[in-house]
Amino acid sequence: MSYMLEIRKLRKQMQQAYASREYKKASLLARKIIQIYLEQDSCKSMEYAGDMHNLAVTLDTLGMNERALEYYKRAAMLKKTIAGETLSYADTLNNLAITYTAAEDFAQALECHKEVLQIRKKKLGENHIDTIHSILHIGNVYADLKDYETALKYHQQALDLARNTKSVPFLDHADILGELGADYDGMGNYCKSMNAYEKALQLNEREAGTQNFPEMIWKLALAEVCEQAGHFEWAVDYCEQAIAVRHALIQESHLDYANSLNALARMAVKAKMPKKALECHHKVLEIVEEILGKEHLFYMDTQSQIGVDEAMLGNPQKGIELCTEALQQKRTLMGYEHPQTAVSLMHLGWIYETTGDYMKALQAFRYALTIRKNALGRYHPVYADTLESIAYIFDRQGAYEAAASYLSEAMQLRRDATNQDEAAYMQTIAILAKVQQRAGEHTAAIMLCEEGLQMQKQHHGTHHPRCADARIVFADVLTAQGQYEQAMEQLQQAAQIQKEMLDEDSPFYLDTLEKMAQVCVKQGDFRAAIHYFQSKNDGNFEETPKEIAKAAETLLALACCYCMLKEQTKAEAYYKEAQEKMERSGIGQTELYQTRLRAYQAYIQKGKSPFAQVNTENGRKEKRRLRHAVKMFSEIFAQQSKMEGFSPQEFSRNAMFMGDVLHRLGKLEDALSWYEKAEKEAEGMQYVLVSHRMGKICMMLTDWKRAYQKLTNAKKYIEEYDSVKTELYCQILGDLGDCCDGMQRIKETRRCYQPYYRLYRELHLPKDQCYIKRVERVSQILKDEKRYRDAAECYSELALVIRQTQGENERFSKLLLQTAACHTAQGNQKEAETLLDRALLLGSQAGRKTLAYGKLCDKIGRMYAKNESWSRAADALAAAYDLTLLGEKCLTRAGRMALLKALQNLEDMPRYEAVKEGRKMQENA
């Protein structure tokens, strides 16, 4: 057995090498040990299994996962064969499971960890530290699988057991709390995530101080969670602390440190802390200059970033100079068409945008777009980013159709990309929905909101903050369309999620309360608005100057609400408090504060509604934006020959956008003139879009013949070259129907409205007021043409839409009657009577002694009589007759005749005689 002495000697050397982090040497020694076993044909012992385990550990440490898995498996199998399910077998199985996790074979990892847990529970008990570690590992694997709820259950179980077990070190408690923080983060419960990470840090700092890896990792995690919860300044603070720990712990290169500082700067920009960002970028610049020199790309990029920081700090000219210098250096070093040149162009464009020089910003973005398209391709994420930057320029100028066009292209590219960035795609959807709403594309905006909400539910669940974000976007669109109840429903659900998952002091939750208050204002419910404004104010702890200024804004909104309620004493008190707080903030009056202050003063001085004043001011701003947009497009056309790639198709597109802006300004003739220019150069679907717009403008100008021609051209083009199963084709059918109706071509109107109505339903488009109006019109046409079956279908659809959007109101009842009349005309007595019964029941809810109910009874009674349903007719008409005797005059002459006929058919002669003589029917009872 002399070979065993050699093995023990080598084993000791291997352990020393491993402890000294000489992992390659340790692995070679472990292999030598295994070779000795093989040479001696002594491979069926626990010692051999243990040495195979050790070899697997060294391979695992070196990142050789496949080889490590092989030896762990062999060691585990041998241990189980020789000694059964021992703790030693469990230890090897545990390492095997961890290696499976590293190899992302989570199913195998779970199977192994669960077997280890059962052995340890049996051998050691539930409260042993190794058992607790097994529970922790299982939770970790579920977290890797993104099954955060299951992971949370295991991690919470591990924490509960650790707290009840004195032998578990507090640092292990901290580790488990850190995992809980990650679980809550994955679930979107950022409030509980922050709480768990903070507790982990407290334990770690108490037991091990602040200069260690867990401290760094958890502070970075906290920075990320704070960012997602909207606490950007906290995020900057934690990120800065984490970088300080990292810099102290790791002998990292200066460039690694520079990258960390860049990450901190990005966070500071998000937190609107440009001074902090500038400070970080200057440090980066010093490091880069010292190591790489001024001619390096890293230096030029940092110089551009400093230019953006300077612009954010109110020094745009300095920012332009720095960015221009970096741009020229890049062009000299890499050429004019290099993607890095496009980066500096984007920075320069953003600075011009902050100064309000949108034309120069647009030029920079367009040049960057061309470079990125040629160098990287249309499906690269930065190409879509550039499209969005161009869209923002148009959006800020009021050219919403142009913005929507660029955003639609960006969205489609993100959707079709091989490696789709889910978060970026959903963000584009949200932005596009708002822009489409502003462009008047209400149906498209609603559909996008629904798509975005469904995607968030699918990816994150119904109770995640991102789902709340999607609901808020949906609410914004609904509010703009005047659908206040539906908007409020979305906001309430979003607020509930945010209150639980982000906490009541989250800026995102407070912003949602602001939106809810604004919806209440639009509804005229100022008491409810006060409630939400007050709740927002209560959640603002006013710890920073910005928060104090926000409190002043909210207090001024409360003052305006009390003005509308004629409670002047309270209004004045809130106004004075708002003024004091804004002065105390020391940052000067914000734009929102100034708007509300002017509105409040307009009420005090002239008695004007403060909110009407705000709306008027917003309208003026919108017109100013539109006039700037006209100027911008005029400059685009003036510089057409100088702008690279400005093709006839691009001219057509911009001419159409110019027409859109002029249309929005109410200059219809000018808009039509630009549409005509666009039409001459238009091709493909661009031609359809221009023709459609021209048709709508011509209708507004009552040039019905030309409108009909343009809309027909658009319709025929789609039928020949594109799909007719689209929202655009549906819109064109509807507009063509409106045109025919304007020309009083009734049959053609019906021929357009009917396929419009069916396609609208087939595409599941949202039922807006335009849809309701058109279906109501085609229903009447069909009824007049005695096409009762089709008319009944349309009236039924209308009744359903009204019930869903407005409830079972008077309009709903009237539609039931219209539908019943169509069924009666077809001889469908049963269906007609069911609808009439329902309408009569709804009418009675407002009171059976009212004139409205009496008139309804008269109408329904006559319809029952037409169906020869004499008993129902008699009851309904008798109610109208009784009210008429009381002076309400709700029974018509036709109703009286129908009542007499019903009583005669029922052979109720006493009541028949009473009605004939004009007496109360109960006198002859």
Side-chain angles (χ1 to χ4, degrees):
M1 298 293 289
S2 60
Y3 73 91
M4 287 303 299
L5 293 174
E6 178 67 15
I7 286 174
R8 291 188 183 107
K9 181 181 176 181
L10 290 170
R11 190 184 294 148
K12 186 175 181 181
Q13 291 174 3
M14 184 271 294
Q15 291 168 347
Q16 288 173 344
Y18 191 86
S20 301
R21 297 187 178 181
E22 298 177 75
Y23 302 124
K24 193 171 182 180
K25 181 181 177 181
S27 179
L28 291 172
L29 289 166
R31 290 170 191 268
K32 193 171 182 180
I33 292 169
I34 296 301
Q35 186 62 36
I36 293 172
Y37 278 113
L38 292 171
E39 290 171 357
Q40 297 297 322
D41 194 21
S42 179
C43 301
K44 295 184 179 179
S45 66
M46 286 295 287
E47 284 204 44
Y48 174 68
D51 284 321
M52 270 202 299
H53 174 103
N54 292 338
L55 174 57
V57 169
T58 64
L59 293 168
D60 196 0
T61 308
L62 288 168
M64 301 171 68
N65 290 341
E66 290 186 12
R67 297 297 303 279
L69 283 170
E70 177 189 342
Y71 283 105
Y72 277 136
K73 287 178 190 176
R74 288 166 61 184
M77 189 179 299
L78 185 57
K79 285 182 178 183
K80 188 173 183 180
T81 302
I82 294 171
E85 293 183 341
T86 62
L87 289 173
S88 178
Y89 164 69
D91 290 342
T92 301
L93 202 60
N94 184 69
N95 281 21
L96 175 61
I98 292 170
T99 309
Y100 272 131
T101 301
E104 297 188 1
D105 190 344
F106 301 121
Q108 290 284 357
L110 271 179
E111 186 179 334
C112 292
H113 275 312
K114 288 182 177 180
E115 187 177 349
V116 173
L117 178 61
Q118 293 306 313
I119 295 169
R120 287 177 172 175
K121 272 186 178 180
K122 186 177 180 181
K123 302 283 186 181
L124 302 173
E126 193 173 49
N127 291 325
H128 193 277
I129 188 170
D130 288 349
T131 307
I132 294 170
H133 282 161
S134 286
I135 295 169
L136 176 63
H137 289 321
I138 292 172
N140 291 348
V141 177
Y142 276 115
D144 289 331
L145 288 166
K146 301 190 185 304
D147 184 353
Y148 298 112
E149 289 189 11
T150 306
L152 181 67
K153 290 176 184 176
Y154 278 98
H155 287 146
Q156 188 61 56
Q157 183 185 356
L159 183 63
D160 292 341
L161 290 170
R163 284 172 172 167
N164 293 326
T165 306
K166 293 181 179 179
S167 61
V168 178
F170 283 113
L171 287 178
D172 283 13
H173 289 227
D175 287 340
I176 300 170
L177 283 164
E179 297 298 342
L180 280 169
D183 295 338
Y184 284 122
D185 182 10
M187 295 167 66
N189 195 328
Y190 303 132
C191 177
K192 288 187 177 180
S193 179
M194 284 188 281
N195 187 41
Y197 279 132
E198 286 167 354
K199 287 181 179 178
L201 281 168
Q202 288 171 5
L203 280 174
N204 183 69
E205 289 168 6
R206 190 182 76 188
E207 299 295 315
T210 59
Q211 302 300 305
N212 50 67
F213 283 101
E215 183 82 4
M216 177 188 74
I217 292 166
W218 292 332
K219 281 184 174 176
L220 282 174
L222 257 173
E224 181 185 338
V225 173
C226 289
E227 179 187 359
Q228 292 182 96
H231 297 294
F232 298 119
E233 292 186 6
W234 298 359
V236 169
D237 187 41
Y238 279 119
C239 187
E240 193 167 18
Q241 291 180 46
I243 289 172
V245 175
R246 177 187 173 116
H247 195 50
L249 284 177
I250 304 174
Q251 295 299 317
E252 58 185 351
S253 72
H254 288 297
L255 290 180
D256 287 332
Y257 181 53
N259 287 327
S260 297
L261 288 171
N262 271 332
L264 176 59
R266 284 193 293 273
M267 188 76 75
V269 169
K270 207 164 189 177
K272 296 182 180 178
M273 299 169 67
K275 285 185 180 179
K276 174 67 71 177
L278 183 63
E279 177 188 328
C280 292
H281 284 138
H282 272 301
K283 288 180 182 177
V284 172
L285 197 69
E286 290 173 10
I287 295 169
V288 174
E289 183 179 357
E290 182 182 344
I291 299 173
L292 303 174
K294 291 185 177 182
E295 303 303 317
H296 196 276
L297 175 63
F298 200 164
Y299 183 90
M300 299 171 200
D301 265 343
T302 306
Q303 191 176 14
S304 276
Q305 290 285 357
I306 290 173
V308 174
D309 296 337
E310 290 286 0
M312 291 176 67
L313 283 166
N315 305 316
Q317 193 55 47
K318 187 174 181 180
I320 289 169
E321 290 171 5
L322 288 167
C323 279
T324 303
E325 184 182 342
L327 176 62
Q328 293 303 330
Q329 287 176 323
K330 284 185 179 182
R331 284 173 169 172
T332 302
L333 183 66
M334 291 169 287
Y336 278 64
E337 304 303 318
H338 194 278
Q340 278 297 330
T341 304
V343 172
S344 286
L345 281 167
M346 294 300 293
H347 286 156
L348 195 57
W350 290 327
I351 294 175
Y352 281 127
E353 188 177 352
T354 62
T355 65
D357 194 340
Y358 297 116
M359 189 61 203
K360 286 186 178 179
L362 184 62
Q363 287 176 314
F365 291 153
R366 282 174 55 83
Y367 196 174
L369 185 73
T370 302
I371 293 171
R372 287 174 165 176
K373 181 180 179 181
N374 294 336
L376 304 171
R378 293 178 67 249
Y379 290 97
H380 196 283
V382 295
Y383 183 79
D385 294 342
T386 315
L387 287 170
E388 290 184 5
S389 293
I390 293 172
Y392 297 150
I393 294 290
F394 286 123
D395 184 38
R396 292 184 69 172
Q397 291 290 85
Y400 304 125
E401 290 83 0
S405 176
Y406 282 95
L407 286 168
S408 295
E409 185 179 352
M411 184 187 73
Q412 192 61 49
L413 293 175
R414 294 196 193 281
R415 178 185 287 164
D416 297 341
T418 306
N419 299 315
Q420 187 189 96
D421 185 339
E422 172 206 320
Y425 175 54
M426 291 188 186
Q427 181 66 20
T428 305
I429 286 179
I431 297 166
L432 177 56
K434 290 184 179 180
V435 172
Q436 283 181 328
Q437 172 56 43
R438 291 195 280 272
E441 298 176 25
H442 307 308
T443 302
I446 291 289
M447 290 178 68
L448 268 181
C449 288
E450 289 174 344
E451 180 186 348
L453 182 56
Q454 288 307 314
M455 286 183 67
Q456 296 290 14
K457 286 179 179 179
Q458 182 180 345
H459 284 88
H460 302 290
T462 59
H463 210 65
H464 195 281
R466 290 189 184 176
C467 190
D469 293 341
R471 290 191 181 280
I472 290 166
V473 172
F474 204 166
D476 288 342
V477 170
L478 291 167
T479 301
Q481 292 186 24
Q483 299 182 43
Y484 301 129
E485 290 184 11
Q486 294 91 324
M488 203 65 179
E489 183 182 342
Q490 295 293 340
L491 287 171
Q492 285 170 343
Q493 292 185 55
Q496 184 180 353
I497 294 169
Q498 290 175 326
K499 187 175 182 179
E500 179 182 343
M501 308 298 265
L502 308 180
D503 212 353
E504 294 184 38
D505 64 341
S506 166
F508 294 154
Y509 173 66
L510 298 181
D511 286 346
T512 304
L513 290 175
E514 169 82 26
K515 288 179 182 292
M516 294 168 81
Q518 292 294 348
V519 172
C520 292
V521 165
K522 290 179 184 298
Q523 291 177 300
D525 189 348
F526 298 106
R527 290 288 178 197
I530 287 169
H531 167 74
Y532 290 118
F533 278 131
Q534 192 65 62
S535 297
K536 179 188 176 184
N537 198 51
D538 292 344
N540 182 356
F541 297 136
E542 302 180 30
E543 295 174 346
T544 67
K546 289 180 183 177
E547 290 173 346
I548 295 171
K550 283 189 174 295
E553 292 170 353
T554 307
L555 291 168
L556 207 47
L558 283 164
C560 291
C561 285
Y562 278 114
C563 283
M564 294 304 297
L565 293 170
K566 309 295 183 185
E567 297 183 26
Q568 203 56 42
T569 303
K570 287 185 178 180
E572 189 175 343
Y574 278 112
Y575 163 73
K576 287 181 179 178
E577 189 179 356
Q579 289 282 71
E580 183 273 327
K581 286 201 175 179
M582 183 53 74
E583 185 177 346
R584 185 156 56 88
S585 73
I587 63 174
Q589 293 182 357
T590 64
E591 185 178 352
L592 178 59
Y593 186 86
Q594 289 175 349
T595 300
R596 287 178 174 172
L597 181 60
R598 285 194 293 270
Y600 177 81
Q601 290 171 342
Y603 178 83
I604 297 301
Q605 296 167 8
K606 301 177 183 178
K608 293 182 179 179
S609 163
F611 298 107
Q613 181 71 17
V614 170
N615 292 337
T616 302
E617 192 167 323
N618 289 338
R620 288 173 185 158
K621 286 180 182 177
E622 179 71 6
K623 285 203 169 182
R624 283 197 296 272
R625 278 197 294 269
L626 291 170
R627 285 194 288 270
H628 284 306
V630 170
K631 183 180 178 183
M632 183 174 67
F633 279 118
S634 297
E635 289 183 31
I636 289 173
F637 291 115
Q639 298 177 11
Q640 162 185 352
S641 59
K642 301 177 184 178
M643 296 183 72
E644 187 178 342
F646 203 87
S647 63
Q649 290 75 28
E650 187 68 12
F651 173 85
S652 174
R653 192 181 187 193
N654 282 301
M656 182 178 73
F657 295 151
M658 173 70 107
D660 293 334
V661 175
L662 291 166
H663 179 189
R664 199 173 296 286
L665 276 168
K667 298 181 178 181
L668 301 185
E669 295 285 0
D670 291 342
L672 188 59
S673 175
W674 277 100
Y675 287 146
E676 287 170 348
K677 293 175 184 178
E679 186 185 35
K680 289 176 183 177
E681 302 291 349
E683 294 180 0
M685 289 306 294
Q686 178 71 19
Y687 170 76
V688 173
L689 293 173
V690 175
S691 296
H692 185 203
R693 282 165 161 83
M694 290 181 73
K696 293 176 78 170
I697 287 281
C698 288
M699 278 199 289
M700 295 176 73
L701 295 169
T702 65
D703 187 349
W704 302 108
K705 186 177 180 180
R706 192 177 182 195
Y708 180 82
Q709 177 195 350
K710 296 301 177 183
L711 292 169
T712 301
N713 290 345
K715 175 175 174 287
K716 286 181 177 178
Y717 187 95
I718 291 179
E719 289 170 347
E720 186 170 354
Y721 297 107
D722 206 76
S723 172
V724 296
K725 301 293 185 181
T726 62
E727 182 204 345
L728 177 60
Y729 183 74
C730 191
Q731 283 182 8
I732 292 169
L733 282 175
D735 290 329
L736 197 51
D738 294 343
C739 184
C740 292
D741 201 28
M743 293 189 291
Q744 297 184 350
R745 296 182 184 177
I746 305 303
K747 288 186 178 180
E748 284 189 63
T749 302
R750 189 248 304 157
R751 290 192 191 113
C752 291
Y753 278 163
Q754 270 194 291
Y756 158 82
Y757 153 73
R758 286 169 184 152
L759 181 57
Y760 205 101
R761 295 181 66 189
E762 183 182 342
L763 295 175
H764 303 289
L765 300 177
K767 313 295 173 55
D768 57 16
Q769 288 302 314
C770 187
Y771 169 79
I772 292 171
K773 182 180 177 181
R774 286 168 176 168
V775 176
E776 196 163 23
R777 178 65 180 131
V778 75
S779 300
Q780 187 60 51
I781 292 171
L782 289 165
K783 187 178 177 184
D784 292 343
E785 291 180 349
K786 299 184 179 180
R787 299 165 66 100
Y788 297 117
R789 182 177 178 180
D790 291 339
E793 179 189 344
C794 289
Y795 278 128
S796 294
E797 163 69 5
L798 271 178
L800 180 62
V801 173
I802 295 300
R803 187 174 67 179
Q804 289 173 342
T805 57
Q806 302 174 18
E808 294 186 345
N809 56 12
E810 184 180 353
R811 191 175 183 188
F812 172 71
S813 296
K814 287 180 178 178
L815 288 168
L816 291 181
L817 296 182
Q818 295 278 24
T819 312
C822 291
H823 281 300
T824 298
Q826 294 176 78
N828 299 332
Q829 185 175 343
K830 185 176 180 181
E831 289 85 346
E833 289 181 359
T834 300
L835 293 169
L836 293 173
D837 290 347
R838 179 68 177 156
L840 196 60
L841 179 63
L842 290 172
S844 67
Q845 291 175 359
R848 294 176 180 271
K849 299 294 184 182
T850 63
L851 176 63
Y853 179 68
K855 288 183 175 180
L856 182 66
C857 287
D858 174 76
K859 185 179 290 187
I860 290 177
R862 285 185 279 120
M863 294 177 76
Y864 279 137
K866 195 171 184 179
N867 271 347
E868 297 185 356
S869 181
W870 304 118
S871 179
R872 283 188 170 92
D875 291 342
L877 292 165
Y881 176 76
D882 289 340
L883 286 170
T884 299
L885 291 181
L886 293 173
E888 292 294 349
K889 297 182 180 179
C890 50
L891 186 69
T892 61
R893 180 179 296 179
R896 183 173 180 277
M897 296 300 295
L899 176 58
L900 288 169
K901 188 173 182 180
L903 294 171
Q904 193 174 31
N905 278 284
L906 291 171
E907 298 181 354
D908 188 346
M909 299 314 294
R911 290 207 296 170
Y912 174 84
E913 293 295 337
V915 172
K916 197 170 182 179
E917 295 172 10
R919 294 181 286 104
K920 289 185 179 181
M921 287 186 284
Q922 55 266 39
E923 288 180 4
N924 286 342

